[in-house]
Amino acid sequence: MDFELILRVYPFFLEAAWVTIELSVLTTILGLICGALGAAARMSRSAILRAIGATYVSIFRGTPALIQLFIFYFGGPQIGIQLDAFEAGVIGLGVNIGAYMAETMRGAIQSVDKGQTEAARTLGMSRWETMRKVVLPQAMRMMIRPLGVNINALIKGTALVAAISVIELTYTAQRYIGSTYKPFEMFLLSGALYMIIIYVVGQGINWLDRKARIT
Amino acid sequence: MTSAFVEIKNAAKSFGKLQVLKDINLTVDRGQIVAIIGPSGSGKSTLLRAINELDPLTSGEVWLEGVQINRKLPHRQYEKHVNQVRQDIGMVFQHFNLFPHLTVRGNITLAPRMLKGLSEAEANKLAEEQLTKVGLLEKIDEYPSRLSGGQKQRVAIARALAMKPKVMLFDEATSALDPELVEEVNMVMKQLAEEHMTMIIVTHEMDFAASVCDRVLFMDQGVVVEEGPPSVIFKTPKEERTRNFLRKHLARNGG
Ligand SMILES: Nc1ncnc2c1ncn2[C@@H]1O[C@H](COP(=O)(O)OP(=O)(O)OP(=O)(O)O)[C@@H](O)[C@H]1O
Ligand SMILES: [Mg+2]
């Protein structure tokens, strides 16, 4: 184990970790937006919207994320959409994880007892009022943990954007292996940084979940 | 003009191929209390849930004070219409269905604030009034999870009453309760009866039905087999099916 080397390169890895964090945050935001839209579409009264939602979910869960990323990055220019690698990474991963999040959200919403909706509708509340004031507040609490699982997968999934040369943790490790021929140290270093990020996020999710349970 | 307050005409309902209600007619006058009894699966809940469009009829009509509840309307207008008429129809469920994320106060004030535009102060006053009525004022800031079954059901009744409904529907309001908690809920219902609230009560409690109801309907397999005052239905029923049901029911309940 070459500790001296690790000490020498780790500032560059920290910078790369920062890119991974940025990617993760933006991807989470985009994923939550796509997830909410996807879940709403899947539970819509309109058959067309339901079909669109179902298609979205099955395409993005049914194909490799790497292929999706390549389509956004390399295929985009062909149909006139120019994205830099970072943008393509955020969009590719965000739309991908959104499909999983849509299912998570739908599951949580549908797990709220049907009696809750009936009670609210019986009082005269509309579908939307019922969703907003009765179903969603209960579903939100139930979706924190499973969304945490999605976010965990997403953070690890950001490693894929190394394949389109975004200079994040995995790409940086590969680059330094090229010049140092020390794959063990380099991957260990990047792995440790991933673990720290994932640990902190996991603690955050736990905290949110606990907070939502009190009441 | 008749004195009919709630009127159900030629009601029929199918779930797929299963016909659950067959040509049911029922009129309830203002202030009347009607009990619906009958074996499991006879369609009692379905009939009750047809009154407020939770389970819309396949055919037939439901009227409340001269307004047809189950009007055929284009989707948007229909939604507006049912949201409006449901405010006049209180419903109490077997499993209470209180909102667990809201306090007792929140449960009671949610709909009046949202639908009737009450201010916070007005809504609080309303919640206090209704809770006093069901004897639970001291629980106003509790969450439902901290209440007993009987208390939950009384809060559910208060929540329904806060909308000032014209009629109250009870679907086995005491069936999910431990026996020692039944009485406190029955007391609240009796009190409503004294205030001449119009009520339709699906129940398995014959004693309760006999003591508070003006009329009893016996349903079996989707039809009203027999109806009349409790003194007749419980003591000298004409129909064989009614007699059988009551005999079995008494045997089971050791009465
Ligand atoms: N949503 C539904 N879909 C399909 N079948 C249903 C539905 N709701 C009720 N049924 C059927 O309709 C019939 C009547 O049910 P209902 O709940 O009205 O009976 P009930 O008289 O209230 O019985 P219980 O005393 O057990 O509550 C039953 O055979 C039931 O299985
Ligand atoms: Mg029933």
Side-chain angles (χ1 to χ4, degrees), chain B residues 15 18 20 38-47 55 171-172 204:
Chain B
F15 288 110
L18 181 70
V20 176
S40 185
S42 54
K44 307 180 296 293
S45 297
T46 307
L47 179 61
D55 279 334
D171 192 357
E172 301 196 30
H204 286 295

Side-chain angles (χ1 to χ4, degrees), chain A residues 45 115-116 118 121-122 133, chain B residues 49 75 79 86 98 101:
Chain A
R45 245 179 309 112
Q116 293 289 309
E118 288 185 352
R121 297 304 309 274
T122 297
K133 292 289 186 177
Chain B
R49 292 161 58 88
H75 181 77
E79 285 286 318
R86 278 176 179 155
L98 290 181
H101 61 298

Side-chain angles (χ1 to χ4, degrees), chain A residues 6-177:
Chain A
I6 289 178
L7 282 177
R8 193 152 47 78
V9 299
Y10 93 87
F12 303 102
F13 277 71
L14 282 187
E15 233 166 273
W18 186 245
V19 176
T20 293
I21 291 169
E22 277 179 345
L23 264 174
S24 301
V25 170
L26 293 174
T27 302
T28 300
I29 293 169
L30 181 60
L32 289 171
I33 293 169
C34 291
L37 292 175
R42 290 214 62 180
M43 292 183 298
S44 159
R45 245 179 309 112
S46 144
I48 298 169
L49 283 179
R50 280 203 304 277
I52 292 174
T55 310
Y56 165 58
V57 168
S58 60
I59 287 178
F60 284 90
R61 294 202 317 171
T63 55
L66 192 57
I67 300 281
Q68 295 164 23
L69 214 52
F70 284 162
I71 289 177
F72 280 105
Y73 186 56
F74 298 115
Q78 213 180 317
I79 54 167
I81 304 168
Q82 287 289 352
L83 296 171
D84 69 30
F86 186 85
E87 289 164 351
V90 169
I91 293 173
L93 294 175
V95 174
N96 172 267
I97 205 70
Y100 292 88
M101 288 178 163
E103 288 301 89
T104 302
M105 293 178 187
R106 185 173 70 108
I109 288 168
Q110 290 181 340
S111 71
V112 174
D113 180 30
K114 182 163 112 311
Q116 293 289 309
T117 302
E118 288 185 352
R121 297 304 309 274
T122 297
L123 291 164
M125 289 164 64
S126 69
R127 274 172 62 99
W128 171 239
E129 288 161 345
T130 301
M131 185 51 85
R132 195 162 57 92
K133 292 289 186 177
V134 174
V135 178
L136 279 181
Q138 296 180 55
M140 297 278 208
R141 294 169 190 205
M142 282 189 274
M143 63 177 82
I144 293 173
R145 270 191 181 283
L147 282 178
V149 173
N150 293 146
I151 291 170
N152 176 297
L154 161 172
I155 296 170
K156 290 181 280 194
T158 58
L160 289 175
V161 301
I164 55 172
S165 315
V166 178
I167 305 167
E168 44 66 79
L169 268 176
T170 303
Y171 185 83
T172 300
Q174 286 168 350
R175 212 172 50 172
Y176 277 93
I177 291 160

